[in-house]
Amino acid sequence: MEKEATNTKRAETKTPVNMRVNDIGFRLVLVPFFGILIPLIANLVDHTKFTHWQIKLSYLYTIGLSLLIWEGNRYLLFTLRSYFNWFNKPLRKVIVLILAASFFTIPVSVLLLITWYQIFMHGIVNWSVITESTLIIMISVLFIVHVYETVFLVKESESEMVKNAQLHQAKAEAELEALRNQIDPHFIFNSLNTLSHLIEEKPQKARQFNDNLADVYRYILQSKRRELVLLREELNFLNDYFYLLQIRFEDAVQLVVTIPEEDADQFLIPPISLQVLAENAIKHNEFSASFPLTIEVEMQHGWLIVRNPIRKKLLRKPSSKIGLANLQERYKLTTNRQVIIEEENDHFVVRLPVLKIT
């Protein structure tokens, strides 16, 4: 726990030192630019008194000065990034950056400019020019540091957005996996109850039920890792599952599917959706051979409609409604669309959005 706390604290206060910034072209252009521009602004190089070669060597020297100042501040900037974070302590970072840049830039600039006077002006130092040049260099350094930090902030923002998107996707996948895993115990529990009932009441049908149960469960195992399946596959599975129901309830339950053949191969839905609705109808409604429960499945305007009459059964304990809640959550995570559940003319109606294959 102490180790995790330490790592968390470090993560909050540090940012990556080695964040990749492709600034080679930036440096190749601006280092010579400042190395020539600043001496021109400060009138460091007197073109009227210098020979052609002295002018060239003077600017070559100031470009070297510019390179040294740039690389030194760049190193400081990259190093300090591991200790200060804009989001946690922005004021402290600003102060540290300004102080670090000043303590490096001013002494080095003054020392190198004095050296320039020793080489090109026989040691006659013009302190006003040195002061002006150092001030311009310092302003330029702060501007460049600002540019670097802006680039870093943009990259960190993009990285954070990518990380948040990945975390959101991982969370959605984890939630979907948890919902898929709920299907197995729910289905097994109900199937074992049915098998137990058949063994006691109709032993001759228990074996037949067991064989068909194996086929149904095989589909569940094959489909649980898939987000979407063909509507035809789901309808075939519903028929197999309904066969199990009819072994137990015989003519007391009926299934009517009115979906054109061509539609069955043109649409996708999350797997095991129809079985959940059929199971829900059986669980919550009264039915008998005289008053059979008819479950209807049809397609209307891009929606798969599942309908059954409402004949509410008195349950021993309140329903947890796990099946429908599971179905709604899986639909939301998989298709980003909502399942519509409503009561219509004494019928319980569920509208499932389907995805057309393009």
Side-chain angles (χ1 to χ4, degrees):
M1 290 177 67
E2 290 178 359
K3 185 176 180 181
E4 288 182 5
T6 303
N7 291 337
T8 302
K9 186 174 181 181
R10 287 177 181 172
E12 290 175 352
T13 57
K14 291 190 176 186
T15 53
V17 180
N18 298 322
M19 179 175 283
R20 295 181 179 273
V21 176
N22 186 10
D23 61 342
I24 295 176
F26 194 54
R27 290 145 68 191
L28 286 175
V29 172
L30 291 185
V31 166
F33 174 78
F34 284 113
I36 295 172
L37 180 65
I38 293 174
L40 287 174
I41 295 174
N43 295 317
L44 180 67
V45 180
D46 191 344
H47 289 213
T48 60
K49 296 180 180 179
F50 280 24
T51 66
H52 183 70
W53 277 104
Q54 283 179 318
I55 293 173
K56 286 185 177 179
L57 291 173
S58 294
Y59 283 121
L60 185 62
Y61 183 93
T62 55
I63 289 173
L65 185 154
S66 175
L67 177 63
L68 181 62
I69 297 295
W70 187 298
E71 292 300 319
N73 280 286
R74 184 176 183 272
Y75 175 78
L76 286 173
L77 177 63
F78 276 65
T79 303
L80 291 173
R81 286 188 61 77
S82 62
Y83 298 100
F84 299 96
N85 187 293
W86 275 116
F87 300 104
N88 293 336
K89 299 175 180 177
L91 182 59
R92 181 181 295 184
K93 177 152 189 175
V94 170
I95 294 173
V96 169
L97 283 176
I98 292 175
L99 289 177
S102 301
F103 280 121
F104 171 76
T105 302
I106 294 174
V108 172
S109 298
V110 171
L111 180 62
L112 291 177
L113 288 171
I114 290 174
T115 304
W116 182 89
Y117 274 101
Q118 294 293 330
I119 296 173
F120 295 98
M121 298 297 290
H122 309 291
I124 303 173
V125 179
N126 187 334
W127 288 104
S128 64
V129 173
I130 289 180
T131 302
E132 183 180 357
S133 299
T134 303
L135 180 60
I136 296 172
I137 291 171
M138 191 63 210
I139 293 172
S140 301
V141 165
L142 293 178
F143 171 74
I144 296 301
V145 168
H146 170 72
V147 171
Y148 268 107
E149 284 299 323
T150 301
V151 171
F152 280 130
L153 282 173
V154 170
K155 284 185 170 289
E156 286 177 0
S157 178
E158 291 175 350
S159 176
E160 195 66 24
M161 289 174 64
V162 171
K163 183 193 291 187
N164 288 337
Q166 291 173 341
L167 288 174
H168 180 74
Q169 181 179 357
K171 180 183 177 183
E173 289 175 354
E175 290 175 354
L176 183 57
E177 183 65 22
L179 290 170
R180 286 170 176 161
N181 290 335
Q182 287 180 12
I183 294 172
D184 288 355
H186 196 233
F187 177 74
I188 290 174
F189 178 78
N190 285 281
S191 298
L192 290 178
N193 277 345
T194 302
L195 183 58
S196 175
H197 172 80
L198 287 175
I199 291 173
E200 292 179 2
E201 306 246 342
K202 301 176 182 177
Q204 70 278 10
K205 289 190 176 183
R207 182 181 181 84
Q208 187 180 3
F209 182 91
N210 187 63
D211 292 340
N212 283 276
L213 176 61
D215 294 333
V216 169
Y217 194 67
R218 187 179 298 111
Y219 174 84
I220 292 178
L221 291 177
Q222 292 173 346
S223 301
K224 68 177 296 185
R225 297 296 174 187
R226 299 161 64 188
E227 293 185 0
L228 298 166
V229 296
L230 273 175
L231 178 56
R232 180 179 297 280
E233 295 180 54
E234 188 68 7
L235 289 173
N236 290 338
F237 169 64
L238 178 62
N239 286 325
D240 291 338
Y241 173 75
F242 218 81
Y243 182 73
L244 296 180
L245 296 179
Q246 288 179 325
I247 289 177
R248 177 179 177 183
F249 300 114
E250 298 180 342
D251 294 334
V253 292
Q254 298 177 4
L255 176 66
V256 178
V257 179
T258 54
I259 295 178
E261 279 292 316
E262 59 273 15
D263 286 352
D265 295 316
Q266 293 182 6
F267 293 95
L268 299 169
I269 66 170
I272 320 174
S273 300
L274 298 180
Q275 180 263 340
V276 170
L277 297 179
E279 186 178 47
N280 186 72
I282 297 296
K283 179 180 178 181
H284 291 280
N285 292 282
E286 297 281 359
F287 53 88
S288 64
S290 303
F291 297 95
L293 179 70
T294 301
I295 299 175
E296 303 174 37
V297 182
E298 62 181 341
M299 181 77 74
Q300 289 183 4
H301 310 296
W303 292 81
L304 192 63
I305 313 297
V306 181
R307 179 187 291 106
N308 64 266
I310 298 175
R311 301 170 189 164
K312 291 185 179 180
K313 183 189 298 183
L314 183 61
L315 300 176
R316 295 177 183 176
K317 58 180 181 179
S319 173
S320 62
K321 298 183 179 180
I322 290 177
L324 287 179
N326 182 307
L327 180 62
Q328 289 176 304
E329 285 298 314
R330 283 198 296 131
Y331 252 92
K332 185 167 63 177
L333 291 170
T334 304
T335 68
N336 201 30
R337 298 176 66 182
Q338 296 288 340
V339 173
I340 299 176
I341 300 175
E342 57 190 3
E343 294 185 10
E344 180 182 286
N345 298 327
D346 295 327
H347 279 72
F348 185 77
V349 181
V350 178
R351 303 178 188 274
L352 302 175
V354 292
L355 302 177
K356 188 174 178 62
I357 299 175
T358 56

